Amino acid sequence: MEIPKELLYTQEHEWILFDDSANTATIGITDYAQGELGDIVFVELPNVGATVKQMDPFGTIEAVKAVSDLFSPVTGEVVEVNSLLQDRPELINQDPYDKGWMIKVKISDSSELNSLMSPEDYKTHIS
Amino acid sequence: MSELLFDLSEKNRKGYTLPQRRVPQKETNKLIPNEFIRKQPARLPEVSENEVVRHFIALSRLNHHVDKGFYPLGSCTMKYNPKINENVANSACLKDLHPMQSTRLTQGALALMYELSEYLREIAGMKAVTLQPAAGAHGELVGLMLIRAYHENQGNPRQNILIPDSAHGTNPASVTISGYSAVQVKSNEKGLVDLEDLRSKLDENTAALMLTNPNTLGIFETQIAQINNMLREVGALLYMDGANLNALLGIVRPGDIGVDVLHFNLHKSFSTPHGGGGPGSGPVGVSEKLIDFLPVPKLTKNENEYCWDYDCPKSIGRVHSFYGNFGIMIRAYAYIRMLGSHGLKRVSENAIINANYLMKELESHFQLPFAGPRMHEFVLSGSKQKEQGVSTAEIAKRILDYGFHAPTVYFPLIVREAIMIEPTETESKQTLDRFAACMIDIAKEVENNPEMVKNAPHTTPVSRLDEVRAIRQPDIRYNFDNT
């Protein structure tokens, strides 16, 4: 199970990569989450310009066995959406931390990052 | 795979003979306006009677169904349908009725509907019942519309419906469609509603709590009295999802434990068919304070005559064409009359005994989350097997090799690698023992021969289907032009 060191995590199995210089964050779901969900067939993401709120649903993900909400690790404005996922949601299964990224958000309050889990904490959370 | 009926079609072959014409022939275009006449004949398969019969019998042999073998999906999907129900529903005096016939000519059918709603009312301890909703989820929507009408009548429709995290997915879906917001309530370490979490989410904006009792873990919500008190304090109502009523017949009446709205699923608790998505029937029962809002028309009895009452100014209106799915009501009526009050109680008692027997047989081979006895169903976790590299989905596939249908898996969501088993009351001890032996065999295979499980099923007409492609690129239309 891959848990990259440079990321922060939520209880709901989203990861976030913070880019200090641009004050933006890239968001996706973890390797553990994609493994638990199994084959992903559809993902519904917000439009660019939408606002997301910390730990509110920002989209839904549909796997063969269940449909789940996606929870935003931070509050902010969506500045980019991975449009590849529309036709190729399997990228989330194949490459959850890179090609399977979901949205980029301009963060409104970077102190929210303090409430997220470190890679070590996330590892404990899923074991 | 077998050919489709379209593939068997031969031009001008037919399986019927029309009776000799006894009225003068008229041209179609003199009877029907031109814009409604087909320009090309419908492309129906042209086959003889025995071809049709053989085709469907062949398909039914590839399929698994409750007439062919045990399925541990239980009443959650549909109970065994006693054949006498079909005989009654197929009697000419019932099946040839038309809902446009006058009430004078349909008193028998109205009597059946009236008595069925009285039986359901008595069984559930509710004050009134509507038979209109088309199935369970429709019943949920109607129940929520009644709740909204009640609160609107009090001056404020309110915003939230609370739902435990163990609930069926239809609950939040119905809540959303009815215009309310679903708020999730956690379960505690016993698998029951966490009262602290409930308290923190309950306020004057709460329209109702939507509770399934027993819940989807098969555990009876023993704190129901406290929950009720908490709801009353803020003026919220109690909705009970009747999905698990099969555990309560003749034992607990939801109306007696403070339920304001209850939907029945006639296919789950009263043995009506529900194949292929319907037709179903999802009657709704209500407490005193919601009676005025029930759908119209209401079936009433004046002296010696049954009639429809449309004069209900506070009603939410009509929720189904005519009066609901009458054919399904006949079957439920036959079932209730066949069993009587003692028989119905024995249904639930046997459903509970069967579930607990199977649970005891299996609990040492799989992980059993939450302690204590269960009602009519129980949920195992395949997490022990998952750690050994075999998932619940693979175990479910392997069960097919033993001639059983797989149980519900990955639900409820609060149990990891969930395997939900509901045998129902109709299965014999021998069948339960055979199923237990199958599950124990598979648990051993996971340890000794995991590949056997991971590559299952081995004996079914087809093995693993491409579920992803089936969802993403469904191919459901016969392509005439490629033949």
Side-chain angles (χ1 to χ4, degrees):
Chain A
M1 186 94 45
E2 204 191 337
I3 305 175
K5 294 272 176 258
E6 66 277 19
L7 306 178
L8 293 171
Y9 299 88
T10 69
Q11 300 255 354
E12 303 287 344
H13 312 288
E14 287 83 14
W15 57 259
I16 179 167
L17 174 68
F18 184 51
D19 177 357
D20 222 346
S21 58
N23 201 35
T24 59
T26 309
I27 294 166
I29 64 165
T30 64
D31 190 19
Y32 174 82
Q34 71 76 19
E36 287 291 301
L37 282 167
D39 292 324
I40 292 161
V41 292
F42 183 70
V43 60
E44 189 182 345
L45 298 173
N47 293 325
V48 170
T51 46
V52 293
K53 217 175 132 219
Q54 190 175 36
M55 289 332 281
D56 267 7
F58 71 82
T60 49
I61 187 161
E62 184 176 342
V64 169
K65 76 185 186 196
V67 180
S68 307
D69 280 332
L70 297 163
F71 294 88
S72 180
V74 287
T75 306
E77 184 191 334
V78 179
V79 291
E80 205 179 330
V81 175
N82 186 355
S83 55
L84 273 183
L85 298 181
Q86 199 67 40
D87 291 323
R88 296 182 61 202
E90 66 274 16
L91 288 174
I92 301 165
N93 289 120
Q94 293 161 2
D95 195 1
Y97 295 113
D98 187 10
K99 291 202 180 72
W101 70 274
M102 292 174 175
I103 55 172
K104 284 187 184 161
V105 171
K106 192 167 178 59
I107 295 187
S108 19
D109 177 8
S110 58
S111 71
E112 281 180 352
L113 294 169
N114 300 331
S115 62
L116 300 172
M117 277 188 272
S118 67
E120 295 74 30
D121 291 345
Y122 184 66
K123 194 175 176 193
T124 321
H125 177 58
I126 59 173
S127 55
Chain B
M1 289 299 289
S2 60
E3 291 177 302
L4 301 182
L5 269 185
F6 293 106
D7 300 323
L8 302 173
S9 183
E10 279 294 334
K11 202 156 178 51
N12 296 327
R13 184 173 291 172
K14 55 184 183 177
Y16 65 91
T17 319
L18 291 178
Q20 208 164 19
R21 198 171 56 238
R22 285 183 294 183
V23 291
Q25 182 167 0
K26 282 192 180 173
E27 293 301 318
T28 315
N29 56 14
K30 299 249 169 64
L31 296 166
I32 299 171
N34 191 41
E35 72 254 44
F36 298 122
I37 297 180
R38 275 183 184 282
K39 300 297 172 275
Q40 282 158 353
R43 292 191 277 194
L44 300 174
E46 296 175 276
V47 281
S48 64
E49 178 179 314
N50 62 348
E51 284 172 320
V52 176
V53 171
R54 284 172 191 161
H55 175 74
F56 285 106
I57 292 286
L59 285 181
S60 79
R61 287 167 65 179
L62 298 177
N63 207 350
H64 188 92
H65 44 97
V66 74
D67 283 345
K68 183 173 165 181
F70 171 61
Y71 73 52
L73 297 168
S75 76
C76 194
T77 295
M78 179 183 74
K79 294 213 290 197
Y80 175 74
N81 314 140
K83 299 300 170 247
I84 190 161
N85 296 356
E86 299 306 308
N87 294 350
V88 176
N90 280 318
S91 71
C93 61
L94 291 170
K95 82 171 159 57
D96 295 337
L97 283 177
H98 193 281
M100 296 288 266
Q101 276 176 271
S102 76
T103 53
R104 195 171 54 82
L105 297 173
T106 52
Q107 285 294 304
L110 299 188
L112 186 150
M113 292 172 75
Y114 187 84
E115 284 175 24
L116 174 62
S117 52
E118 288 294 293
Y119 295 151
L120 294 177
R121 208 167 66 80
E122 173 62 25
I123 288 165
M126 304 307 289
K127 286 286 184 281
V129 168
T130 173
L131 297 174
Q132 274 190 39
H138 190 207
E140 289 179 28
L141 179 62
V142 170
L144 289 161
M145 288 164 73
L146 294 169
I147 288 170
R148 176 179 288 280
Y150 167 81
H151 284 300
E152 268 173 2
N153 194 52
Q154 304 274 312
N156 177 7
R158 305 191 173 202
Q159 287 167 2
N160 298 332
I161 302 280
L162 307 188
I163 306 176
D165 56 10
S166 59
H168 290 102
T170 47
N171 290 180
S174 301
V175 164
T176 305
I177 288 181
S178 72
Y180 279 117
S181 299
V183 176
Q184 198 176 74
V185 179
K186 282 190 207 133
S187 299
N188 64 19
E189 71 290 346
K190 291 178 180 159
L192 300 171
V193 170
D194 183 328
L195 293 189
E196 284 310 304
D197 196 49
L198 174 63
R199 182 164 286 121
S200 74
K201 283 162 184 167
L202 201 56
D203 58 26
E204 266 70 33
N205 267 326
T206 310
L209 168 72
M210 220 172 170
L211 190 71
T212 307
N213 197 11
N215 63 28
T216 60
L217 298 163
I219 303 174
F220 190 79
E221 294 280 355
T222 48
Q223 314 165 105
I224 187 74
Q226 286 153 277
I227 291 174
N228 233 321
N229 288 338
M230 289 164 70
L231 295 173
R232 302 297 161 207
E233 276 170 29
V234 296
L237 299 177
L238 177 58
Y239 182 109
M240 185 170 132
D241 180 325
N244 292 340
L245 204 60
N246 210 40
L248 304 182
L249 304 173
I251 301 172
V252 176
R253 301 199 318 162
D256 296 345
I257 55 174
V259 170
D260 293 300
V261 186
L262 166 82
H263 81 264
F264 302 81
N265 300 271
L266 296 188
H267 54 284
K268 291 178 197 270
S269 322
F270 301 97
S271 86
T272 70
H274 192 249
S281 182
V284 170
V286 295
S287 63
E288 189 79 46
K289 50 178 150 308
L290 290 154
I291 291 178
D292 288 349
F293 309 104
L294 282 172
V296 282
K298 288 183 191 171
L299 184 54
T300 56
K301 191 179 175 188
N302 296 336
E303 290 164 34
N304 290 323
E305 197 191 36
Y306 297 95
C307 51
W308 295 110
D309 180 7
Y310 289 84
D311 185 22
C312 313
K314 289 186 178 170
S315 163
I316 59 167
R318 207 183 248 290
V319 297
H320 195 283
S321 55
F322 298 114
Y323 320 111
N325 287 328
F326 179 61
I328 301 300
M329 297 172 203
I330 301 170
R331 292 167 170 91
Y333 178 84
Y335 183 75
I336 293 171
R337 290 297 300 261
M338 283 289 294
L339 286 164
S341 55
H342 293 290
L344 286 174
K345 188 175 181 189
R346 286 188 56 211
V347 162
S348 288
E349 287 171 350
N350 284 330
I352 294 168
I353 290 166
N354 281 356
N356 282 278
Y357 175 75
L358 257 187
M359 183 178 83
K360 283 285 162 199
E361 292 291 302
L362 297 177
E363 67 181 353
S364 58
H365 302 273
F366 295 83
Q367 201 223 325
L368 178 71
F370 309 110
R374 295 296 192 272
M375 297 293 281
H376 67 308
E377 67 187 0
F378 62 99
V379 179
L380 297 170
S381 167
S383 54
K384 202 158 78 178
Q385 285 72 23
K386 175 86 176 177
E387 274 159 35
Q388 292 167 292
V390 177
S391 71
T392 282
E394 289 160 338
I395 291 172
K397 300 284 185 200
R398 182 66 176 137
I399 292 172
L400 307 181
D401 284 334
Y402 286 76
F404 299 115
H405 195 282
T408 301
V409 293
Y410 299 111
F411 182 83
L413 302 175
I414 54 172
V415 173
R416 241 189 115 213
E417 298 292 309
I419 306 172
M420 175 195 257
I421 297 174
E422 186 192 347
T424 77
E425 66 282 358
T426 52
E427 299 307 326
S428 66
K429 180 172 177 296
Q430 287 74 17
T431 302
L432 301 181
D433 285 338
R434 280 197 301 119
F435 181 70
C438 146
M439 293 294 288
I440 293 166
D441 271 0
I442 295 172
K444 286 181 185 152
E445 276 180 343
V446 169
E447 291 181 13
N448 306 326
N449 188 8
E451 290 308 307
M452 184 61 115
V453 185
K454 288 168 84 79
N455 297 319
H458 306 278
T459 62
T460 47
V462 288
S463 190
R464 293 289 174 98
L465 301 175
D466 187 345
E467 292 172 331
V468 175
R469 216 181 112 209
I471 294 172
R472 298 201 59 211
Q473 299 159 27
D475 180 6
I476 49 177
R477 184 174 161 273
Y478 186 72
N479 195 344
F480 288 97
D481 306 325
N482 273 4
T483 52

